Amino acid sequence: MQDRLTDLAIGNILSNAVNIGYRLNLFKAIAEISSPENPVLPEQIAEKAGCKERYVREWCNTLACGHVLEVNEEEKFWIAKENLESLTTDNFALIYNAMLTTILRPIDTLIECFIKDGPYGLDYAVYSDFEEMQQMFAKTTSEGYVVSSMIPDVGHGIQEKLETGIRVLDVGCGGGLHVRLLAENFPNSKFVGLDITEKAIEVARSVKKTDGTDFKNVEFVVGDAGNMPKSYTDSFDLVLLFGSCHDQMRPDLCMLEVHRVVKPDGWVVVTDVDGSSNVHTDRETFGKMAAMKYGGSMLHCLPVGSNAPDALCCGSMWGRKRAVALMNQCGFDDVEVKAMDYSPGSVLYIMKK
Ligand SMILES: C[S@@+](CC[C@H](N)C(=O)[O-])C[C@H]1O[C@@H](n2cnc3c(N)ncnc32)[C@H](O)[C@@H]1O
């Protein structure tokens, strides 16, 4: 086990170094000025990235020893051709390393949360750049499939309805990435994005169309999903929750409200982290990714969803069984559950009022 623990510590250090490289554009700097035939000194990388040579040198040394960067006897560095794309373009694995700093920021308070008389949980405000990182994360995951694969997969004529023009609510919309994707592709439909944090809505309101112009079919509202405006009753044809159900302290109140605001013949679609509600099964099913899923929940989703005495403390790995039970309890008798093959490890819950 001690070897294993040493490997874990090394992995942790390398992950932090990757995060530093991502945030300071150091990988992009190396990629731009070096090649296997033309390796460069840390001072050249530092100059290109606007950083201090001494720090960049230690960063290069660390990642070269971790076989993330290449180094020669003259202590010059480059990125191997086969690693260029992974280290210089936004992708799930790279962003996850960067996201870890964001979710680990309140680690001391999180440790206190474990203690019997410690705080219930964590407020979103303690993650200073959560909204931006969440958007970055959602972009690398959702952008490639929401319109092209997920909406057709939901079925029930929803794509056609979106094309014709319907009223859609995105609950827990965060920085508005999904609203932007859908509003741009379905200009005849009208979208409302609702989120409890001012910061998320501030980020969402700054969102523009790809051509830089303002949306005409989008509105963002600060609000509690467990207590939505009275005027919303029976007013949405489609209600969407992208990974935002388990994060709430009272997802039951939210789903009761969703039941109220969706039209009598309307649809509700919830995306979530997939799990079976049994850790033994999840470890078999998801292999090494299971630890990432449960770990992400432990570090972020559980504490934000536990931050009140009456919180349900779901965590993102609450799983299909518990999620469906809660949806049933909130009036959705028939919940269709579908693995999202185009987004491995995610699940869709589709239901009608
Ligand atoms: C994991 S993030 C997902 C954000 C967004 N849907 C996405 O996929 O990028 C969960 C979001 O739920 C929001 N949230 C949590 N509790 C809420 C509540 N009671 N009412 C509305 N939004 C809430 C958080 O502020 C956060 O933006």
Side-chain angles (χ1 to χ4, degrees):
M1 183 43 92
Q2 290 192 15
D3 268 356
R4 176 88 206 286
L5 292 175
T6 306
D7 286 346
L8 291 178
I10 294 167
N12 195 355
I13 285 172
L14 293 175
S15 171
N16 277 290
V18 166
N19 172 37
I20 291 170
Y22 172 79
R23 291 189 186 237
L24 294 175
N25 286 320
L26 291 169
F27 293 119
K28 286 185 180 159
I30 305 185
E32 276 179 40
I33 61 173
S34 75
S35 66
E37 301 74 35
N38 178 34
V40 290
L41 289 165
E43 66 187 63
Q44 295 168 276
I45 303 164
E47 179 63 29
K48 178 80 187 163
C51 293
K52 296 189 185 82
E53 185 275 341
R54 183 65 189 95
Y55 280 88
V56 171
R57 185 162 20 117
E58 218 69 329
W59 177 83
C60 289
N61 295 343
T62 305
L63 285 182
C65 291
H67 296 275
V68 175
L69 296 180
E70 309 304 313
V71 64
N72 66 16
E73 286 178 358
E74 293 163 335
E75 297 187 298
K76 289 184 170 179
F77 300 86
W78 72 99
I79 298 175
K81 278 209 168 78
E82 62 273 22
N83 297 334
L84 267 176
E85 194 185 338
S86 301
L87 293 172
T88 59
T89 58
D90 288 344
N91 58 77
F92 174 84
L94 183 62
I95 302 284
Y96 204 92
N97 281 280
M99 181 95 179
L100 278 175
T101 332
T102 302
I103 61 175
L104 282 169
R105 205 152 276 157
I107 187 72
D108 292 335
T109 321
L110 174 62
I111 291 170
E112 286 171 27
C113 291
F114 275 68
I115 297 166
K116 223 172 206 157
D117 298 326
Y120 290 112
L122 299 172
D123 192 276
Y124 277 97
V126 298
Y127 304 89
S128 50
D129 61 351
F130 176 77
E131 287 75 13
E132 289 84 356
M133 284 311 291
Q134 170 67 33
Q135 282 314 277
M136 191 68 111
F137 192 61
K139 196 165 149 51
T140 60
T141 49
S142 307
E143 210 161 54
Y145 68 74
V146 166
V147 173
S148 58
S149 306
M150 190 195 105
I151 294 294
D153 188 34
V154 168
H156 304 291
I158 284 177
Q159 178 163 6
E160 294 72 18
K161 288 178 186 152
L162 281 164
E163 277 158 7
T164 309
I166 53 173
R167 205 165 124 78
V168 183
L169 173 67
D170 180 1
V171 177
C173 65
L177 176 98
H178 295 102
V179 168
R180 174 176 76 69
L181 286 175
L182 293 166
E184 190 138 22
N185 282 279
F186 301 106
N188 294 331
S189 289
K190 290 200 165 20
F191 296 84
V192 177
L194 177 137
D195 201 283
I196 200 160
T197 79
E198 302 256 357
K199 178 83 186 300
I201 294 302
E202 198 182 299
V203 173
R205 284 188 180 140
S206 68
V207 161
K208 303 259 184 236
K209 285 162 90 167
T210 313
D211 64 8
T213 59
D214 289 327
F215 280 102
K216 300 265 186 293
N217 56 340
V218 164
E219 183 195 348
F220 288 107
V221 180
V222 178
D224 181 356
N227 183 20
M228 291 194 256
K230 294 283 164 277
S231 60
Y232 283 9
T233 303
D234 291 337
S235 69
F236 292 97
D237 302 277
L238 176 64
V239 179
L240 301 165
L241 289 92
F242 288 96
S244 61
C245 195
H246 64 251
D247 256 16
Q248 298 186 35
M249 289 184 260
R250 294 296 305 267
D252 54 339
L253 300 184
C254 163
M255 290 310 289
L256 283 169
E257 281 292 81
V258 167
H259 194 273
R260 173 176 71 82
V261 305
V262 71
K263 285 182 182 174
D265 58 348
W267 289 91
V268 178
V269 178
V270 178
T271 75
D272 212 338
V273 181
D274 201 3
S276 66
S277 309
N278 179 297
V279 66
H280 187 266
T281 309
D282 290 339
R283 192 172 67 166
E284 296 293 305
T285 309
F286 299 110
K288 67 178 181 185
M289 295 308 280
M292 190 185 248
K293 284 160 163 269
Y294 277 96
S297 179
M298 174 185 71
L299 295 172
H300 176 77
C301 306
L302 176 63
V304 296
S306 304
N307 199 22
D310 62 345
L312 299 194
C313 312
C314 293
S316 56
M317 288 306 284
W318 62 331
R320 296 180 180 202
K321 219 165 139 186
R322 284 195 280 257
V324 170
L326 181 132
M327 289 158 190
N328 290 159
Q329 177 198 319
C330 296
F332 296 104
D333 298 330
D334 193 10
V335 181
E336 187 184 342
V337 184
K338 266 187 161 180
M340 295 165 72
D341 298 334
Y342 36 88
S343 174
S346 305
V347 66
L348 271 183
Y349 300 103
I350 306 165
M351 62 213 93
K352 203 171 182 190
K353 186 158 174 175

